[in-house]
Amino acid sequence: MHITADRDRCVGAGQCVLAAPAVFDQDDDGLVAPMTFDPAEGEQDNVRQAVNVCPSSAIWIDKE
Amino acid sequence: MTDMLDTDLPSFPMARECPMHPPAEYKEIRQEAPVSRVRMPDGQLAWLVTGHELSRQVLADPRMSSDRTHPAFPLALTTEQRKAFQQNSRLSIRRSMIGLDAPEHGPHRKMLISEFSVRRIAALRPRVQEIVDRCVDDLLAAPQPADLVEHVSLAVPSLVICELLGVPYEQRHGFHEWTRKLISRRTAPEERRASADKLNDFLEALVTEKEQGEPTDDVIGRLIARNRENPVMTHDEIVGTAILLLIAGHETTANMISLGTVALLENPGQKAQVVADPSLLPAAIEEMLRYFSIVESATSRVATDDIEVGGVTIRKDEGVIISGLAADWDDSVFENPDQLDFHRGARHHVAFGYGIHQCLGQNLARMELEIVFETLFRKAPNLRLAVPAADLPYKDDASIYGIYSVPVNF
């Protein structure tokens, strides 16, 4: 799996951090800052949930 | 629906039969037409969206405007009340991010995002715990029956948001009363205008003081400093932002504490589970947020173009109410939505809205709720309602649902 995050679209709700805390973080501006763009297999369900709950479609899966 | 005469349209807002459940009509309306017409108290027609996916679609659509000064923006107010709100040129809250559209909205929100990140909020946890301990101790020292709302539900989020924003807590009686009047549909137009003016004057004075003095180490002080380095907001917009953060920071969480406590007391089996294992609380709180979805009023919009939604065309300049409560009881998405199920594991509710306006303070709210429920039931294991849950004074008249007082024994 490979993911992309768009900081311009991010509104800093923090939903991705709650859904997949091992993959997503927020930087000092509060905007999305993935810790990896290639989440491990055990994290992929959480990543799908993070993508589903992001309110501004700022993260997505490029490659399953 | 299309054959219906205008006079046959359902009125909005709709009454509840059970205080813990949405109006029963939502389910029928969703099954018949998840995007349908309703009549507002001022006589205007608006669209009501009751399906979950359609709600997210509308709230994410950049052609839907949040401009509360638009004549068709659905406000659950009479014509006179609407005038008192929309024609009050002093009410700076209209110039806060909740009423702004892209591209104006983003820079305003970005001025505050760092203050409410998951990490920043987590760092506040020890201080919030101290505040909650003090409030729960106050409740337990009060003569019984004591009011949970006064001692805990309203006190905790008010203390927290005052400290965060740099607003003197001693002034709470003023802003509590003005907020109550502003969100109640029973408030007469003149009183509504007066309450709005007082809230505006209060925060106008506070922001001016912070602008003129030494920089203060609080959210408003830091916002002013940030805005000096990189000007985004006018003085009026900072005042509006302060009003928004103060109202949103206390009233919403207060109501969730009251409703959540009643829900736990009425569901002793589920309560026993979270008391025995507080690590279940975050999931329980997501479910409470879904179940009550207390803020229906923030998610209205007005179309800036003709927009197809769920097979109907919403015309430019028509108002749309997106009911988060109806969406979060959509049984095609949440099975048996009337069951409060702490093991549901559903995070995709729209209790905090959806799209670019989704609640900025949601992680603060989650943390306050978690600490309150954990502390309350640990310190007061025999907590119980002093009156039947059905007899509590629910906020049927308010644009943010909740309970006015919750008498408890312990």
Side-chain angles (χ1 to χ4, degrees):
Chain A
M1 178 184 274
H2 187 270
I3 57 165
T4 296
D6 182 345
R7 288 166 48 87
D8 289 335
R9 296 187 65 95
C10 178
V11 295
Q15 297 260 30
C16 56
V17 181
L18 297 186
V23 176
F24 297 101
D25 196 3
Q26 288 164 286
D27 64 12
D28 289 344
D29 295 327
L31 299 176
V32 60
M35 291 176 278
T36 171
F37 290 92
D38 305 284
E41 202 149 320
E43 284 300 324
Q44 295 182 358
D45 280 346
N46 289 342
V47 169
R48 283 183 202 100
Q49 194 181 42
V51 169
N52 180 25
V53 295
C54 173
S56 58
S57 305
I59 47 176
W60 60 91
I61 296 165
D62 310 301
K63 204 178 88 199
E64 273 288 347
Chain B
M1 285 297 283
T2 46
D3 294 327
M4 260 189 179
L5 291 170
D6 277 1
T7 47
D8 293 335
L9 290 175
S11 298
F12 191 89
M14 294 170 198
R16 296 172 190 246
E17 281 157 42
C18 168
M20 306 299 261
H21 291 179
E25 289 96 327
Y26 284 2
K27 187 175 179 179
E28 295 158 28
I29 290 173
R30 189 188 312 108
Q31 282 167 350
E32 205 176 316
V35 182
S36 59
R37 292 279 212 171
V38 290
R39 180 175 295 281
M40 302 302 287
D42 63 359
Q44 290 204 57
L45 302 188
W47 294 98
L48 175 67
V49 182
T50 48
H52 182 267
E53 247 341 281
L54 292 171
S55 293
R56 299 217 307 183
Q57 182 193 324
V58 172
L59 290 170
D61 194 319
R63 298 168 297 173
M64 289 288 178
S65 167
S66 294
D67 178 6
R68 282 154 173 71
T69 62
H70 191 289
F73 190 91
L75 298 166
L77 299 174
T78 64
T79 308
E80 288 307 307
Q81 286 172 325
R82 170 188 277 277
K83 273 190 201 156
F85 171 70
Q86 290 193 321
Q87 295 176 3
N88 186 347
S89 58
R90 295 174 61 220
L91 193 55
S92 308
I93 194 168
R94 293 180 316 191
R95 291 292 311 164
S96 72
M97 60 188 165
I98 198 173
L100 299 181
D101 298 323
E104 232 184 333
H105 168 269
H108 279 243
R109 179 156 172 141
K110 286 197 163 80
M111 295 288 274
L112 288 161
I113 286 175
S114 65
E115 300 281 354
F116 295 94
S117 70
V118 172
R119 202 182 310 159
R120 285 288 287 276
I121 295 303
L124 301 173
R125 185 175 276 269
R127 178 61 188 138
V128 173
Q129 180 70 60
E130 280 173 16
I131 288 172
V132 172
D133 283 340
R134 203 172 89 203
C135 291
V136 173
D137 290 346
D138 280 351
L139 173 79
L140 301 181
Q144 303 185 50
D147 184 9
L148 181 82
V149 174
E150 180 193 338
H151 294 284
V152 178
S153 311
L154 198 49
V156 168
S158 300
L159 278 158
V160 171
I161 200 69
C162 280
E163 198 165 303
L164 262 182
L165 298 184
V167 171
Y169 183 65
E170 306 77 67
Q171 309 275 341
R172 67 190 176 281
H173 299 297
F175 71 75
H176 283 167
E177 191 199 329
W178 306 324
T179 302
R180 184 175 55 75
K181 286 186 175 162
L182 274 176
I183 65 170
S184 171
R185 287 186 289 274
R186 289 198 198 110
T187 308
E190 276 318 301
E191 224 182 334
R192 174 177 294 274
R193 187 188 288 259
S195 300
D197 285 350
K198 283 176 190 164
L199 195 57
N200 214 80
D201 289 346
F202 172 53
L203 285 156
E204 165 79 47
L206 187 87
V207 167
T208 303
E209 193 187 311
K210 285 180 190 288
E211 282 171 338
Q212 289 170 353
E214 285 294 302
T216 51
D217 192 18
D218 49 56
V219 171
I220 298 175
R222 290 189 293 268
L223 172 63
I224 290 167
R226 224 172 278 137
N227 197 54
R228 254 184 217 135
E229 268 174 46
N230 169 31
V232 169
M233 298 187 189
T234 62
H235 165 81
D236 256 7
E237 288 167 346
I238 294 177
V239 174
T241 304
I243 298 174
L244 173 67
L245 296 179
L246 184 62
I247 296 181
H250 82 273
E251 180 65 24
T252 49
T253 310
N255 289 314
M256 275 308 298
I257 292 172
S258 299
L259 289 165
T261 303
V262 173
L264 285 164
L265 292 172
E266 293 292 291
N267 290 275
Q270 303 224 47
K271 188 193 102 181
Q273 288 180 19
V274 296
V275 169
D277 182 3
S279 72
L280 295 174
L281 265 174
I285 288 163
E286 288 312 305
E287 174 66 350
M288 289 181 203
L289 288 164
R290 177 198 72 81
Y291 195 83
F292 293 115
S293 298
I294 60 172
V295 189
E296 281 194 285
S297 55
T299 47
S300 287
R301 297 290 183 265
V302 63
T304 63
D305 201 349
D306 292 358
I307 301 170
E308 292 283 329
V309 181
V312 307
T313 304
I314 296 175
R315 298 283 173 200
K316 182 177 187 296
D317 294 325
E318 287 182 340
V320 191
I321 300 157
I322 300 94
S323 167
L325 181 59
D328 287 339
W329 280 58
D330 182 341
D331 57 8
S332 70
V333 178
F334 304 101
E335 207 178 321
N336 300 321
D338 57 329
Q339 303 289 313
L340 187 72
D341 176 4
F342 291 168
H343 301 285
R344 189 182 293 276
R347 311 189 59 86
H348 54 304
H349 61 75
V350 291
F352 289 118
Y354 191 73
I356 60 171
H357 292 281
Q358 192 181 62
C359 180
L360 179 64
Q362 57 182 288
N363 296 307
L364 177 61
R366 286 186 174 101
M367 181 182 63
E368 291 183 53
L369 291 168
E370 195 185 323
I371 296 177
V372 165
F373 295 135
E374 190 281 322
T375 309
L376 184 62
F377 289 103
R378 174 167 46 80
K379 289 192 180 225
N382 296 319
L383 189 80
R384 59 205 180 274
L385 295 176
V387 298
D391 296 342
L392 291 167
Y394 293 91
K395 297 186 179 181
D396 287 314
D397 60 316
S399 57
I400 301 172
Y401 193 62
I403 319 177
Y404 282 108
S405 68
V406 180
V408 290
N409 292 311
F410 34 82

